[in-house]
Amino acid sequence: MKMMRKILIATAGITLCLALSISPAFARDTVNYRLKWLFNTSVAGDIMADAGGFFKAAGLDVKVKEGGPEKNAIKELELGYADFGVASADQVIRALDKGADVVVLAQLFQINPMQWIYRSELPEIKRLVDLKGRNIGVTFGGNDETIMNTLLAKAGLTYNDVSISSVRFDFTPFLKKKVEIWPVYRNSQGVILEDKLAKEGESVRFFNPADYGVSFVANSVVTSGEVIKKNPERVKAFMTALMAAWEFSMDPANRDEVLAEIKKRDKNTADHIRERQLGVTRLLIKPNAGVKIGTIDRAAWIQTETIMIKEKQVKGPVHVETRLAGF
């Protein structure tokens, strides 16, 4: 009952907005929304938009689908299998480089969760040059490789000044101290490793590239220019409902209700881990109460494109700033 009352209040604005400006014709259509990854705490707002009735209150029938390595939202937009999706900035910029018709509607993470974890017993990284001589894990071909290359260049360091280890999903080299600094998603793997080491009496620190001027944009909500052109009312309804759900999900007052819905879809994560993941996710999505969820950091997008050009990940400028539509 408590959750329903809150949702009714949250969606009252959506319903009024739609009643004033939107044709109900789109209500009969099924909308497909492809996430970037599996259901977990990182997609709390997406889960609540569906389970909490936000989409329904806006007159939308939305199928929220998990993502994965073989389920690329941008590709599905191009094929017409999805109307909306979640993609990382590098995916968007690569797609634009290939001529795709991708438009960014909202930037979910204001702080990129891609960070590095290391034990507190090691010298603290206070300056980028403190990376010199360290054994650093990177996922070759992943975002973390691109970000680390940028950080090293910014510090005036090369791979000759550090020891780089290729890593994947197996944390064993980090747990056995064979790799000092390990790449993690701060709000998921970071919480799990921090908890695991705490049980062994060890504490950790996190190395956040944004603290050193490297803001590489993470996940955003995208659609195609064609979808906006054909049905701008539906785009408006979808985004209004989705952002209302994210605001609801990131409100600490709604923690228990949100965690209960996440648990239904993420059964393999312990309750205390899920709760801490939600707290960290909140800090990355809405760093402070004044931040409107979905705010597009234009400068960070331009920096991301610039980094990718320098790393030769795209042929040349794609002018991503012209594809940041918002909603």
Side-chain angles (χ1 to χ4, degrees):
M1 290 300 291
K2 181 181 176 184
M3 181 170 74
M4 287 307 299
R5 283 198 300 274
K6 291 176 180 176
I7 292 173
L8 287 171
I9 293 171
T11 54
I14 300 170
T15 305
L16 177 60
C17 174
L18 301 181
L20 290 173
S21 60
I22 299 172
S23 165
F26 67 79
R28 294 189 295 271
D29 301 330
T30 296
V31 175
N32 290 303
Y33 179 35
R34 175 66 76 184
L35 304 182
K36 187 172 186 292
W37 197 242
L38 306 177
F39 288 134
N40 57 42
T41 310
S42 294
V43 298
D46 302 313
I47 290 173
M48 290 307 298
D50 182 20
F54 287 84
F55 284 142
K56 186 177 181 180
L60 293 164
D61 175 20
V62 180
K63 288 187 177 179
V64 183
K65 303 177 180 179
E66 291 183 309
E70 306 301 324
K71 298 171 182 175
N72 183 295
I74 293 178
K75 191 68 176 177
E76 293 197 2
L77 284 173
E78 290 182 297
L79 295 172
Y81 297 159
D83 305 277
F84 301 92
V86 176
S88 55
D90 63 305
Q91 288 180 313
V92 172
I93 291 169
R94 283 195 185 92
L96 292 173
D97 187 50
K98 296 176 181 176
D101 178 23
V102 185
V103 177
V104 179
L105 296 170
Q107 179 180 325
L108 293 175
F109 284 97
Q110 297 304 310
I111 301 173
N112 195 329
M114 182 72 255
Q115 301 178 13
W116 276 261
I117 187 173
Y118 63 104
R119 289 174 171 81
S120 299
E121 67 188 27
L122 297 172
E124 185 175 1
I125 302 170
K126 296 181 178 179
R127 305 166 300 163
L128 288 180
V129 293
D130 293 334
L131 292 170
K132 187 173 183 179
R134 302 294 187 92
N135 188 326
I136 304 168
V138 298
T139 311
F140 287 120
N143 283 349
D144 54 309
E145 181 189 10
T146 301
I147 295 170
M148 182 52 67
N149 288 344
T150 303
L151 290 165
L152 293 175
K154 194 177 177 68
L157 301 175
T158 70
Y159 273 20
N160 292 326
D161 298 307
V162 296
S163 177
I164 296 293
S165 295
S166 175
V167 305
R168 286 292 174 185
F169 300 111
D170 182 3
F171 301 141
T172 302
F174 176 71
L175 295 173
K176 291 189 174 182
K177 300 185 178 182
K178 292 183 178 179
V179 177
E180 295 177 54
I181 306 172
W182 191 271
V184 291
Y185 284 101
R186 176 67 183 83
N187 58 332
S188 54
Q189 300 157 324
V191 173
I192 294 170
L193 282 175
E194 184 177 26
D195 180 76
K196 191 175 184 65
L197 290 179
K199 290 177 180 175
E200 302 296 326
E202 296 185 281
S203 61
V204 298
R205 293 190 177 97
F206 289 92
F207 171 60
N208 179 7
D211 292 339
Y212 303 89
V214 177
S215 297
F216 198 90
V217 179
N219 293 359
S220 294
V221 181
V222 299
T223 188
S224 69
E226 186 68 12
V227 167
I228 295 175
K229 181 181 178 180
K230 285 185 175 180
N231 206 331
E233 294 85 1
R234 186 166 66 182
V235 173
K236 181 180 178 182
F238 177 87
M239 290 305 298
T240 302
L242 181 62
M243 291 300 104
W246 268 105
E247 291 285 355
F248 179 92
S249 303
M250 295 297 102
D251 185 342
N254 303 323
R255 183 194 63 180
D256 292 345
E257 293 93 331
V258 174
L259 286 172
E261 291 299 336
I262 296 171
K263 186 175 182 178
K264 293 177 184 176
R265 294 160 180 77
D266 178 15
K267 301 181 186 299
N268 296 321
T269 302
D271 289 347
H272 75 285
I273 294 292
R274 201 181 297 110
E275 181 177 348
R276 289 176 57 189
Q277 287 177 331
L278 182 62
V280 177
T281 299
R282 188 181 299 122
L283 295 174
L284 302 174
I285 296 279
K286 193 176 179 71
N288 61 68
V291 173
K292 180 184 176 184
I293 293 179
T295 298
I296 293 176
D297 185 343
R298 186 173 181 274
W301 276 91
I302 293 173
Q303 185 186 55
T304 302
E305 179 183 339
T306 301
I307 290 171
M308 293 182 68
I309 293 171
K310 287 181 178 177
E311 288 291 311
K312 301 186 185 307
Q313 294 192 13
V314 290
K315 296 188 293 291
V318 300
H319 305 290
V320 70
E321 69 275 10
T322 65
R323 309 299 291 185
L324 307 177
F327 70 98

